[in-house]
mmCIF file of all heavy atoms in Angstrom:
data_model
loop_
_atom_site.group_PDB
_atom_site.id
_atom_site.type_symbol
_atom_site.label_atom_id
_atom_site.label_comp_id
_atom_site.label_asym_id
_atom_site.label_seq_id
_atom_site.Cartn_x
_atom_site.Cartn_y
_atom_site.Cartn_z
ATOM 1 N N PRO A 54 12.107 -8.429 -7.208
ATOM 2 C CA PRO A 54 13.206 -7.705 -7.863
ATOM 3 C C PRO A 54 13.328 -8.035 -9.348
ATOM 4 O O PRO A 54 12.903 -9.093 -9.802
ATOM 5 C CB PRO A 54 14.445 -8.173 -7.096
ATOM 6 C CG PRO A 54 14.070 -9.495 -6.524
ATOM 7 C CD PRO A 54 12.589 -9.430 -6.260
ATOM 8 N N ASN A 102 9.200 -6.947 5.339
ATOM 9 C CA ASN A 102 9.067 -8.396 5.527
ATOM 10 C C ASN A 102 8.699 -8.736 6.976
ATOM 11 O O ASN A 102 9.265 -9.629 7.591
ATOM 12 C CB ASN A 102 10.334 -9.126 5.083
ATOM 13 C CG ASN A 102 10.481 -9.129 3.570
ATOM 14 O OD1 ASN A 102 9.557 -8.777 2.844
ATOM 15 N ND2 ASN A 102 11.642 -9.508 3.087
ATOM 16 N N ASN A 116 19.867 -2.334 4.359
ATOM 17 C CA ASN A 116 20.339 -3.722 4.386
ATOM 18 C C ASN A 116 19.186 -4.722 4.397
ATOM 19 O O ASN A 116 19.274 -5.775 3.759
ATOM 20 C CB ASN A 116 21.276 -3.952 5.566
ATOM 21 C CG ASN A 116 22.625 -3.282 5.354
ATOM 22 O OD1 ASN A 116 23.056 -3.063 4.220
ATOM 23 N ND2 ASN A 116 23.281 -2.922 6.444
ATOM 24 N N PHE A 117 18.095 -4.413 5.101
ATOM 25 C CA PHE A 117 16.933 -5.308 5.092
ATOM 26 C C PHE A 117 16.304 -5.364 3.710
ATOM 27 O O PHE A 117 15.875 -6.429 3.259
ATOM 28 C CB PHE A 117 15.897 -4.875 6.137
ATOM 29 C CG PHE A 117 16.081 -5.537 7.465
ATOM 30 C CD1 PHE A 117 16.856 -4.941 8.446
ATOM 31 C CD2 PHE A 117 15.495 -6.760 7.733
ATOM 32 C CE1 PHE A 117 17.042 -5.557 9.672
ATOM 33 C CE2 PHE A 117 15.673 -7.383 8.959
ATOM 34 C CZ PHE A 117 16.450 -6.778 9.939
ATOM 35 N N ILE A 118 16.243 -4.227 3.034
ATOM 36 C CA ILE A 118 15.698 -4.207 1.677
ATOM 37 C C ILE A 118 16.597 -5.022 0.745
ATOM 38 O O ILE A 118 16.118 -5.860 -0.021
ATOM 39 C CB ILE A 118 15.543 -2.760 1.174
ATOM 40 C CG1 ILE A 118 14.453 -2.043 1.988
ATOM 41 C CG2 ILE A 118 15.221 -2.729 -0.324
ATOM 42 C CD1 ILE A 118 14.402 -0.541 1.789
ATOM 43 N N ARG A 119 17.900 -4.819 0.843
ATOM 44 C CA ARG A 119 18.839 -5.573 -0.013
ATOM 45 C C ARG A 119 18.780 -7.072 0.261
ATOM 46 O O ARG A 119 18.905 -7.882 -0.658
ATOM 47 C CB ARG A 119 20.257 -5.056 0.200
ATOM 48 C CG ARG A 119 20.476 -3.713 -0.446
ATOM 49 C CD ARG A 119 21.915 -3.252 -0.337
ATOM 50 N NE ARG A 119 22.082 -2.004 -1.076
ATOM 51 C CZ ARG A 119 22.935 -1.065 -0.751
ATOM 52 N NH1 ARG A 119 23.735 -1.217 0.295
ATOM 53 N NH2 ARG A 119 23.012 0.031 -1.465
ATOM 54 N N ALA A 120 18.594 -7.453 1.527
ATOM 55 C CA ALA A 120 18.536 -8.884 1.876
ATOM 56 C C ALA A 120 17.346 -9.571 1.213
ATOM 57 O O ALA A 120 17.387 -10.771 0.943
ATOM 58 C CB ALA A 120 18.464 -9.049 3.396
ATOM 59 N N ALA A 121 16.298 -8.820 0.917
ATOM 60 C CA ALA A 121 15.105 -9.400 0.289
ATOM 61 C C ALA A 121 15.347 -9.797 -1.162
ATOM 62 O O ALA A 121 14.523 -10.481 -1.759
ATOM 63 C CB ALA A 121 13.944 -8.406 0.378
ATOM 64 N N ARG A 122 16.490 -9.392 -1.740
ATOM 65 C CA ARG A 122 16.823 -9.789 -3.117
ATOM 66 C C ARG A 122 17.352 -11.210 -3.183
ATOM 67 O O ARG A 122 17.389 -11.809 -4.247
ATOM 68 C CB ARG A 122 17.923 -8.905 -3.711
ATOM 69 C CG ARG A 122 17.800 -7.465 -3.475
ATOM 70 C CD ARG A 122 18.850 -6.719 -4.240
ATOM 71 N NE ARG A 122 20.159 -6.776 -3.610
ATOM 72 C CZ ARG A 122 21.117 -5.910 -3.840
ATOM 73 N NH1 ARG A 122 20.936 -4.934 -4.698
ATOM 74 N NH2 ARG A 122 22.266 -5.995 -3.235
ATOM 75 N N GLU A 123 17.810 -11.705 -2.050
ATOM 76 C CA GLU A 123 18.446 -13.023 -2.027
ATOM 77 C C GLU A 123 17.447 -14.111 -2.423
ATOM 78 O O GLU A 123 16.263 -14.012 -2.124
ATOM 79 C CB GLU A 123 19.011 -13.309 -0.634
ATOM 80 C CG GLU A 123 20.063 -12.310 -0.184
ATOM 81 C CD GLU A 123 21.265 -12.253 -1.118
ATOM 82 O OE1 GLU A 123 21.711 -13.319 -1.580
ATOM 83 O OE2 GLU A 123 21.750 -11.136 -1.387
ATOM 84 N N PRO A 124 17.955 -15.176 -3.065
ATOM 85 C CA PRO A 124 17.068 -16.245 -3.549
ATOM 86 C C PRO A 124 16.176 -16.867 -2.473
ATOM 87 O O PRO A 124 15.056 -17.266 -2.758
ATOM 88 C CB PRO A 124 18.046 -17.289 -4.110
ATOM 89 C CG PRO A 124 19.265 -16.503 -4.456
ATOM 90 C CD PRO A 124 19.340 -15.393 -3.450
ATOM 91 N N HIS A 125 16.640 -16.941 -1.218
ATOM 92 C CA HIS A 125 15.819 -17.563 -0.169
ATOM 93 C C HIS A 125 14.570 -16.736 0.132
ATOM 94 O O HIS A 125 13.578 -17.262 0.605
ATOM 95 C CB HIS A 125 16.628 -17.782 1.118
ATOM 96 C CG HIS A 125 17.030 -16.504 1.800
ATOM 97 N ND1 HIS A 125 18.175 -15.818 1.456
ATOM 98 C CD2 HIS A 125 16.438 -15.785 2.780
ATOM 99 C CE1 HIS A 125 18.266 -14.730 2.215
ATOM 100 N NE2 HIS A 125 17.222 -14.685 3.020
ATOM 101 N N SER A 126 14.620 -15.443 -0.156
ATOM 102 C CA SER A 126 13.454 -14.580 0.064
ATOM 103 C C SER A 126 12.752 -14.338 -1.262
ATOM 104 O O SER A 126 11.611 -14.720 -1.438
ATOM 105 C CB SER A 126 13.895 -13.248 0.684
ATOM 106 O OG SER A 126 12.798 -12.387 0.803
ATOM 107 N N GLY A 127 13.450 -13.680 -2.187
ATOM 108 C CA GLY A 127 12.926 -13.486 -3.533
ATOM 109 C C GLY A 127 11.875 -12.410 -3.687
ATOM 110 O O GLY A 127 11.478 -12.094 -4.800
ATOM 111 N N GLN A 128 11.401 -11.838 -2.583
ATOM 112 C CA GLN A 128 10.426 -10.765 -2.693
ATOM 113 C C GLN A 128 10.525 -9.847 -1.485
ATOM 114 O O GLN A 128 11.022 -10.231 -0.437
ATOM 115 C CB GLN A 128 9.008 -11.301 -2.832
ATOM 116 C CG GLN A 128 8.495 -12.036 -1.619
ATOM 117 C CD GLN A 128 7.081 -12.573 -1.826
ATOM 118 O OE1 GLN A 128 6.490 -12.428 -2.885
ATOM 119 N NE2 GLN A 128 6.547 -13.200 -0.806
ATOM 120 N N LEU A 129 10.043 -8.647 -1.669
ATOM 121 C CA LEU A 129 10.052 -7.641 -0.619
ATOM 122 C C LEU A 129 8.600 -7.326 -0.293
ATOM 123 O O LEU A 129 7.829 -6.972 -1.178
ATOM 124 C CB LEU A 129 10.767 -6.384 -1.119
ATOM 125 C CG LEU A 129 10.853 -5.202 -0.178
ATOM 126 C CD1 LEU A 129 11.689 -5.548 1.049
ATOM 127 C CD2 LEU A 129 11.456 -4.005 -0.895
#
Side-chain angles (χ1 to χ4, degrees):
N102 288 349
N116 288 334
F117 268 92
I118 293 168
R119 286 185 175 149
R122 316 186 282 201
E123 300 301 319
H125 67 274
S126 176
Q128 66 181 2
L129 179 64

